[in-house]
Amino acid sequence: MKSLFDLTGRTILVTGGSRGIGFAMGAALARHGATVVLNGRNEAKLEDKARELRAEGLEAETAVFDVNNEAAARSAMDKIVNKHGHLFGLINNAGIQHRSPILAFTTADFERVVSTNLTSCFTLSREAIALMSEHGSGRIINTVSMLGSQARPTVPAYIAAKEGLRALTRALAVEAGPKGILVNAIAPGYIATEMNNALITDKKFSDWIVSKTPLQRWGEPHELGGGAIYLMSEAGAFVNGHVLAIDGGMSVQV
Ligand code: GCO
C-alpha cells in the first residue's frame, strides 16, 4: 500500500533552495521520494547541497537563476519538463529581508524586497501553471510568514510582500483549481536561519521571540519539511488556498 506521503515520481522545483528553509524543504521532499530541483543564484553552493542529497541516494538537481529573471525561470522550468516530462511542484521560497527604520527605508529597497518576495512568486507561478495545466495537475507552495497580519517595526517591505503573498496564494488557488493545480502557503514563525542570524545573536531580541512563542524557542529549518511533504503529497489532495502556520503557536499568542 503506497503511503499517502510518498512523493515518488513528483519533480519539484524549490527556489531559494541552497540553504535555510528552502534546502530543508527540498531535503524532506527528496527523502520522501521526490526529485527535487534546488534553485539559487550561486552555482557552486547549489551543487554542494545537491551533492549532499545525492550522497544519501536521493534525486537532487540544480537550476541556477535569479527569481527576478522571468526568462531564466521559464527556461529552467522548460528544461525540467523536457527532462522529467512534468513539473509537478513549485515552492516559491526565495526571499530577502531588509531591516531599517521607515524614515531611512528607501523606495529602491522597498521595491527590491517586493520584487523578490512577491512579484517573482507571481511570475514563476504563472509560468508553472501554464506547464502544469498541460498535465492537469500540480502543486504550488508559497513561503509566507507569520508576519503580515501581525507586524513589528523596521521590516515594512517584507511584511507587505509576505501578506500580499498570502492574498496571491488565495487568488491563484481559485484560478488554478479547475486546472487540477493546488496552491497553498506555509507561514513559518521565527526560524533559526542565516537570514535571521542578526536577530538570533541579539540576546534582547531573541529573548523577546522566545517569550512570544508558546514553545519558548526558535524553530529549526527541518521543522518546515513536514508541511511541505503534506502539501505536495496525496495527503494534501483536497487542500487548496490554505495557509499552514508552522510557528510554535506564536501567531495565536497575545
Ligand atoms: C524579522 C525576521 C522575520 C522572520 C519570519 C517571521 O526580521 O522579523 O526576518 O521576518 O524571518 O518572517 O515569521
Side-chain angles (χ1 to χ4, degrees):
M1 172 80 166
K2 185 172 176 184
S3 159
L4 270 178
F5 299 98
D6 184 341
L7 301 174
T8 304
R10 296 186 173 188
T11 301
I12 301 166
L13 172 62
V14 184
T15 69
S18 67
R19 61 181 184 161
I21 289 171
F23 178 69
M25 286 180 173
L29 297 169
R31 290 176 184 132
H32 276 70
T35 295
V36 293
V37 182
L38 302 177
N39 156 262
R41 290 173 294 175
N42 182 316
E43 185 165 11
K45 198 167 181 185
L46 268 181
E47 267 309 318
D48 281 348
K49 300 308 280 185
R51 197 175 302 116
E52 198 178 303
L53 296 181
R54 289 196 292 267
E56 289 183 38
L58 304 173
E59 298 295 322
E61 301 173 10
T62 61
V64 182
F65 63 87
D66 182 327
V67 294
N68 295 293
N69 181 332
E70 286 187 43
R74 176 63 196 247
S75 168
M77 291 184 202
D78 287 340
K79 280 186 190 144
I80 291 169
V81 173
N82 292 338
K83 180 173 182 182
H84 296 287
H86 183 200
L87 173 64
F88 177 82
L90 166 66
I91 300 188
N92 287 309
N93 172 78
I96 57 174
Q97 181 57 284
H98 183 79
R99 304 180 182 103
S100 162
I102 195 161
L103 296 183
F105 209 108
T106 68
T107 306
D109 283 329
F110 189 93
E111 288 174 341
R112 185 168 50 85
V113 172
V114 171
S115 177
T116 298
N117 293 14
L118 178 56
T119 309
S120 77
C121 298
F122 167 73
T123 55
L124 267 72
S125 297
R126 179 191 62 212
E127 297 308 312
I129 288 167
L131 294 167
M132 293 169 176
S133 301
E134 290 166 19
H135 261 263
S137 68
R139 303 283 175 90
I140 295 174
I141 298 173
N142 294 316
T143 301
V144 296
S145 167
M146 192 212 82
L147 293 184
S149 45
Q150 291 167 286
R152 77 175 190 87
T154 74
V155 285
Y158 187 93
I159 289 171
K162 289 296 189 180
E163 189 69 352
L165 189 51
R166 283 175 182 249
L168 179 64
T169 298
R170 291 188 287 269
L172 296 177
V174 300
E175 190 159 350
K179 305 174 191 297
I181 300 164
L182 306 180
V183 185
N184 295 288
I186 287 176
Y190 278 81
I191 310 298
T193 61
E194 264 180 68
M195 185 173 84
N196 286 335
N197 271 343
L199 306 179
I200 295 163
T201 52
D202 175 339
K203 188 173 181 326
K204 186 165 177 268
F205 187 94
S206 181
D207 289 349
W208 177 69
I209 291 297
V210 169
S211 74
K212 298 279 285 180
T213 306
L215 293 190
Q216 298 186 323
R217 63 175 175 84
W218 286 74
E220 292 297 328
H222 71 83
E223 292 177 302
L224 280 300
I229 292 164
Y230 168 60
L231 291 173
M232 284 290 174
S233 72
E234 270 319 289
F238 201 57
V239 180
N240 190 30
H242 182 66
V243 178
L244 176 62
I246 303 181
D247 64 10
M250 189 177 193
S251 53
V252 299
Q253 175 170 303
V254 293

